[in-house]
Amino acid sequence: RDSCMSDSSDSVISSGSDSDGHIYKVVLLGEHGVGKSSLARIFGGVEDSHDSEETGNTYDRSIIVDEEEANLLLYDIWEQDNSQWLQDQCMRMGDAYIIVYSVTDKSSFEKASELRIQLRRARQSENIPIILVGNKTDLVRSREVSVDEGSACAVVFDCKFIETSASLHHNVRTLFEGIVRQIRLRRDSREE
Ligand code: GDP
Ligand code: MG
């Protein structure tokens, strides 16, 4: 499944209407520097030749997952002006969350746990899809968080887990497919 990103351009198409007419809001959370904006730019199909330090971007794309189109609105706004108000908004607005840490930075992993707890507190009764993402797997020699630690944490926090490398585009498409599948699982269980 490692070749999944190479086909991103033909299966990620410009936004259109979802089969169920919904646009799902997906919010990126995580400490500064873990790779949120890099992952978002790949999703958005933006060339990342320049390492821009912009914050506050939103990407609107449709992707085909399991032969069904899904409309996602990806918010990379967590660090925008670092206001408490905005961060509270982030915790409330998402239909799904991607919590990112860097496998080369233990403190970002600990921060990810804090964010998961904050999210649980903000959305107590809701069963929101969350994927915990360990990014920067290409930096093998500076790894501080093992795959086992990451997946164990996801088990404790009752969320999905994936490791990615934004630099190598590894597993990035699988991540966004995963979030769509999680959203659909919950949507379908609500319909029954
Ligand atoms: P953000 O602060 O969470 O939005 O993180 P950025 O996307 O701005 O990334 C921070 C830095 O880490 C930038 O210099 C990126 O080029 C770099 N970076 C992001 N993802 C990866 C990755 O998977 N591997 C490596 N080696 N560097 C990465
Ligand atoms: Mg950023």
Side-chain angles (χ1 to χ4, degrees):
R1 307 259 333 148
D2 288 0
S3 60
C4 53
M5 272 318 293
S6 57
D7 64 357
S8 66
S9 54
D10 53 25
S11 43
V12 178
I13 60 173
S14 60
S15 60
S17 61
D18 195 309
S19 56
D20 65 2
H22 261 95
I23 296 176
Y24 294 106
K25 300 191 187 93
V26 179
V27 180
L28 282 159
L29 305 178
E31 203 165 79
H32 180 69
V34 296
K36 298 181 298 299
S37 300
S38 304
L39 292 167
R41 281 196 297 268
I42 295 170
F43 173 77
V46 182
E47 289 299 322
D48 55 354
S49 48
H50 59 104
D51 230 354
S52 62
E53 264 288 308
E54 296 177 72
T55 53
N57 279 314
T58 303
Y59 301 88
D60 178 2
R61 312 274 329 213
S62 290
I63 60 172
I64 307 280
V65 180
D66 303 326
E67 286 152 31
E68 194 187 338
E69 193 174 11
N71 252 320
L72 297 186
L73 204 49
L74 181 67
Y75 290 90
D76 178 27
I77 59 172
W78 179 246
E79 293 184 85
Q80 187 183 335
D81 58 60
N82 280 310
S83 75
Q84 189 58 49
W85 181 86
L86 185 66
Q87 297 201 338
D88 288 344
Q89 282 300 110
C90 282
M91 288 295 181
R92 289 197 194 96
M93 70 194 286
D95 296 309
Y97 289 85
I98 296 174
I99 303 180
V100 188
Y101 66 92
S102 166
V103 299
T104 64
D105 179 1
K106 193 95 185 182
S107 75
S108 73
F109 180 59
E110 282 151 14
K111 179 69 183 176
S113 298
E114 280 172 38
L115 290 166
R116 175 67 187 94
I117 292 164
Q118 245 179 287
L119 195 52
R120 176 175 287 167
R121 213 175 283 140
R123 308 285 290 273
Q124 269 166 7
S125 57
E126 295 167 79
N127 181 20
I128 334 161
I130 299 171
I131 299 190
L132 179 67
V133 178
N135 186 45
K136 307 199 186 182
T137 55
D138 57 291
L139 299 176
V140 179
R141 302 213 297 172
S142 21
R143 189 188 269 270
E144 291 182 0
V145 184
S146 70
V147 188
D148 289 346
E149 286 174 282
S151 64
C153 180
V155 170
V156 170
F157 286 116
D158 189 27
C159 61
K160 292 285 172 188
F161 172 67
I162 191 169
E163 283 196 341
T164 58
S165 167
S167 295
L168 303 178
H169 287 213
H170 178 251
N171 264 351
V172 180
R173 177 156 183 86
T174 309
L175 162 63
F176 289 102
E177 287 176 353
I179 208 83
V180 169
R181 291 198 180 102
Q182 288 302 304
I183 290 168
R184 284 181 183 160
L185 275 173
R186 285 168 179 73
R187 176 197 68 186
D188 295 345
S189 64
R190 267 198 300 277
E191 279 168 2
E192 274 149 24

Short mmCIF file of all heavy atoms in Angstrom, two decimals, residues 30-39 41 51-54 76 79 100 135-139 164-168, ligand 1:
data_model
loop_
_atom_site.label_atom_id
_atom_site.label_comp_id
_atom_site.label_asym_id
_atom_site.label_seq_id
_atom_site.Cartn_x
_atom_site.Cartn_y
_atom_site.Cartn_z
N GLY A 30 -2.01 19.62 16.82
CA GLY A 30 -0.65 19.15 17.11
C GLY A 30 0.30 20.30 17.33
O GLY A 30 0.03 21.43 16.90
N GLU A 31 1.40 19.97 17.99
CA GLU A 31 2.38 20.98 18.34
C GLU A 31 3.02 21.60 17.10
O GLU A 31 3.03 21.00 16.03
CB GLU A 31 3.47 20.29 19.18
CG GLU A 31 4.26 21.19 20.06
CD GLU A 31 5.03 20.40 21.10
OE1 GLU A 31 6.09 19.84 20.76
OE2 GLU A 31 4.57 20.34 22.25
N HIS A 32 3.61 22.77 17.30
CA HIS A 32 4.30 23.45 16.21
C HIS A 32 5.45 22.59 15.66
O HIS A 32 6.19 22.01 16.43
CB HIS A 32 4.85 24.79 16.71
CG HIS A 32 5.57 25.56 15.66
ND1 HIS A 32 4.91 26.13 14.58
CD2 HIS A 32 6.89 25.82 15.47
CE1 HIS A 32 5.79 26.72 13.80
NE2 HIS A 32 7.00 26.54 14.31
N GLY A 33 5.54 22.52 14.36
CA GLY A 33 6.67 21.86 13.73
C GLY A 33 6.54 20.37 13.47
O GLY A 33 7.47 19.74 12.96
N VAL A 34 5.40 19.79 13.82
CA VAL A 34 5.25 18.34 13.65
C VAL A 34 4.93 17.93 12.21
O VAL A 34 5.07 16.76 11.85
CB VAL A 34 4.19 17.75 14.62
CG1 VAL A 34 4.62 17.93 16.07
CG2 VAL A 34 2.82 18.37 14.37
N GLY A 35 4.47 18.89 11.42
CA GLY A 35 4.20 18.60 10.01
C GLY A 35 2.74 18.76 9.59
O GLY A 35 2.35 18.29 8.52
N LYS A 36 1.95 19.45 10.39
CA LYS A 36 0.53 19.64 10.05
C LYS A 36 0.37 20.31 8.69
O LYS A 36 -0.39 19.85 7.85
CB LYS A 36 -0.18 20.52 11.11
CG LYS A 36 -0.21 19.91 12.49
CD LYS A 36 -0.94 20.82 13.47
CE LYS A 36 -0.29 22.18 13.68
NZ LYS A 36 1.09 22.15 14.22
N SER A 37 1.08 21.43 8.51
CA SER A 37 0.91 22.19 7.26
C SER A 37 1.44 21.40 6.07
O SER A 37 0.88 21.48 4.98
CB SER A 37 1.61 23.54 7.37
OG SER A 37 1.04 24.29 8.42
N SER A 38 2.50 20.64 6.30
CA SER A 38 3.02 19.81 5.21
C SER A 38 2.00 18.76 4.78
O SER A 38 1.77 18.57 3.58
CB SER A 38 4.32 19.11 5.66
OG SER A 38 5.26 20.05 6.11
N LEU A 39 1.37 18.10 5.75
CA LEU A 39 0.34 17.12 5.43
C LEU A 39 -0.85 17.79 4.74
O LEU A 39 -1.39 17.26 3.76
CB LEU A 39 -0.13 16.41 6.71
CG LEU A 39 0.90 15.49 7.39
CD1 LEU A 39 0.45 15.11 8.80
CD2 LEU A 39 1.16 14.24 6.55
N ARG A 41 -0.86 20.54 2.95
CA ARG A 41 -0.53 20.95 1.58
C ARG A 41 -0.56 19.77 0.62
O ARG A 41 -0.98 19.90 -0.53
CB ARG A 41 0.83 21.64 1.54
CG ARG A 41 0.78 23.10 1.99
CD ARG A 41 2.04 23.84 1.57
NE ARG A 41 3.22 23.27 2.20
CZ ARG A 41 3.74 23.71 3.36
NH1 ARG A 41 3.18 24.71 3.99
NH2 ARG A 41 4.80 23.13 3.87
N ASP A 51 9.21 26.26 1.59
CA ASP A 51 8.84 25.84 2.94
C ASP A 51 8.15 27.00 3.64
O ASP A 51 8.68 27.61 4.54
CB ASP A 51 10.10 25.43 3.70
CG ASP A 51 9.92 24.07 4.36
OD1 ASP A 51 8.80 23.54 4.31
OD2 ASP A 51 10.90 23.56 4.92
N SER A 52 6.96 27.31 3.23
CA SER A 52 6.30 28.49 3.77
C SER A 52 5.86 28.27 5.22
O SER A 52 5.49 27.18 5.61
CB SER A 52 5.09 28.87 2.93
OG SER A 52 4.16 27.82 2.96
N GLU A 53 5.92 29.30 5.98
CA GLU A 53 5.54 29.24 7.39
C GLU A 53 4.15 29.82 7.60
O GLU A 53 3.82 30.33 8.66
CB GLU A 53 6.57 30.02 8.24
CG GLU A 53 7.64 29.13 8.85
CD GLU A 53 7.13 28.24 10.01
OE1 GLU A 53 6.52 28.80 10.92
OE2 GLU A 53 7.35 27.03 9.96
N GLU A 54 3.34 29.77 6.57
CA GLU A 54 1.99 30.30 6.68
C GLU A 54 1.18 29.50 7.70
O GLU A 54 1.35 28.30 7.83
CB GLU A 54 1.24 30.13 5.37
CG GLU A 54 1.77 30.87 4.20
CD GLU A 54 0.91 30.50 3.00
OE1 GLU A 54 -0.24 30.96 2.95
OE2 GLU A 54 1.38 29.74 2.15
N ASP A 76 -6.23 23.81 8.69
CA ASP A 76 -4.89 23.88 9.29
C ASP A 76 -4.78 25.24 9.98
O ASP A 76 -4.05 26.12 9.55
CB ASP A 76 -3.83 23.74 8.18
CG ASP A 76 -2.41 23.86 8.70
OD1 ASP A 76 -2.17 23.55 9.88
OD2 ASP A 76 -1.54 24.29 7.91
N GLU A 79 -2.70 26.69 14.89
CA GLU A 79 -1.67 27.60 15.40
C GLU A 79 -1.88 29.05 14.97
O GLU A 79 -1.10 29.92 15.32
CB GLU A 79 -0.29 27.16 14.91
CG GLU A 79 0.15 25.85 15.50
CD GLU A 79 1.55 25.54 15.05
OE1 GLU A 79 2.48 26.03 15.69
OE2 GLU A 79 1.71 24.84 14.04
N VAL A 100 -1.54 15.25 15.22
CA VAL A 100 -0.22 14.93 14.68
C VAL A 100 0.87 15.15 15.73
O VAL A 100 0.84 16.12 16.48
CB VAL A 100 0.10 15.83 13.45
CG1 VAL A 100 1.39 15.37 12.76
CG2 VAL A 100 -1.05 15.82 12.45
N ASN A 135 4.24 11.51 12.50
CA ASN A 135 4.84 11.96 11.22
C ASN A 135 6.37 11.98 11.32
O ASN A 135 6.94 11.90 12.39
CB ASN A 135 4.28 13.36 10.90
CG ASN A 135 4.71 13.86 9.53
OD1 ASN A 135 4.67 13.11 8.54
ND2 ASN A 135 5.14 15.11 9.46
N LYS A 136 7.00 12.13 10.17
CA LYS A 136 8.46 12.21 9.99
C LYS A 136 9.17 10.87 10.16
O LYS A 136 10.28 10.80 10.67
CB LYS A 136 9.10 13.25 10.94
CG LYS A 136 8.47 14.66 10.86
CD LYS A 136 9.37 15.73 11.42
CE LYS A 136 8.67 17.07 11.47
NZ LYS A 136 9.51 18.16 11.97
N THR A 137 8.53 9.81 9.70
CA THR A 137 9.15 8.48 9.81
C THR A 137 10.42 8.35 8.98
O THR A 137 11.20 7.43 9.18
CB THR A 137 8.18 7.38 9.36
OG1 THR A 137 7.73 7.70 8.03
CG2 THR A 137 6.99 7.27 10.29
N ASP A 138 10.61 9.27 8.04
CA ASP A 138 11.84 9.22 7.23
C ASP A 138 13.08 9.54 8.06
O ASP A 138 14.18 9.14 7.71
CB ASP A 138 11.71 10.20 6.05
CG ASP A 138 11.44 11.63 6.50
OD1 ASP A 138 10.33 11.89 7.01
OD2 ASP A 138 12.32 12.48 6.38
N LEU A 139 12.90 10.24 9.17
CA LEU A 139 14.05 10.62 10.00
C LEU A 139 14.38 9.48 10.99
O LEU A 139 14.29 9.62 12.21
CB LEU A 139 13.76 11.92 10.76
CG LEU A 139 13.49 13.14 9.86
CD1 LEU A 139 13.11 14.36 10.69
CD2 LEU A 139 14.70 13.46 8.99
N THR A 164 3.29 8.45 9.23
CA THR A 164 3.42 9.05 7.90
C THR A 164 4.79 9.71 7.74
O THR A 164 5.48 9.97 8.72
CB THR A 164 2.37 10.17 7.68
OG1 THR A 164 2.55 11.16 8.69
CG2 THR A 164 0.95 9.65 7.71
N SER A 165 5.13 9.98 6.50
CA SER A 165 6.23 10.89 6.20
C SER A 165 5.72 11.87 5.16
O SER A 165 5.51 11.49 4.00
CB SER A 165 7.45 10.14 5.66
OG SER A 165 8.35 11.09 5.11
N ALA A 166 5.51 13.09 5.59
CA ALA A 166 5.07 14.11 4.63
C ALA A 166 6.16 14.33 3.59
O ALA A 166 5.87 14.54 2.41
CB ALA A 166 4.71 15.40 5.35
N SER A 167 7.41 14.27 4.02
CA SER A 167 8.52 14.50 3.09
C SER A 167 8.53 13.48 1.96
O SER A 167 8.80 13.83 0.82
CB SER A 167 9.85 14.43 3.82
OG SER A 167 9.93 15.48 4.74
N LEU A 168 8.27 12.23 2.29
CA LEU A 168 8.28 11.17 1.28
C LEU A 168 6.88 10.92 0.71
O LEU A 168 6.71 10.01 -0.10
CB LEU A 168 8.82 9.87 1.88
CG LEU A 168 10.22 9.89 2.50
CD1 LEU A 168 10.57 8.53 3.09
CD2 LEU A 168 11.26 10.31 1.46
P1 GDP B 1 3.49 22.46 11.45
O1 GDP B 1 4.09 23.51 12.33
O2 GDP B 1 2.90 21.35 12.26
O3 GDP B 1 2.53 23.00 10.45
O4 GDP B 1 4.70 21.77 10.66
P2 GDP B 1 5.22 22.05 9.18
O5 GDP B 1 4.40 21.33 8.18
O6 GDP B 1 5.40 23.51 8.98
O7 GDP B 1 6.64 21.32 9.24
C1 GDP B 1 7.67 21.75 10.11
C2 GDP B 1 9.00 21.36 9.53
O8 GDP B 1 9.12 19.93 9.50
C3 GDP B 1 9.21 21.86 8.11
O9 GDP B 1 10.55 22.22 7.95
C4 GDP B 1 8.89 20.64 7.28
O10 GDP B 1 9.57 20.64 6.05
C5 GDP B 1 9.37 19.51 8.17
N1 GDP B 1 8.62 18.27 7.95
C6 GDP B 1 7.28 18.11 7.91
N2 GDP B 1 6.97 16.82 7.69
C7 GDP B 1 8.13 16.14 7.60
C8 GDP B 1 8.48 14.77 7.37
O11 GDP B 1 7.64 13.87 7.21
N3 GDP B 1 9.81 14.46 7.35
C9 GDP B 1 10.78 15.40 7.52
N4 GDP B 1 12.05 15.00 7.47
N5 GDP B 1 10.49 16.69 7.73
C10 GDP B 1 9.20 17.06 7.77
#
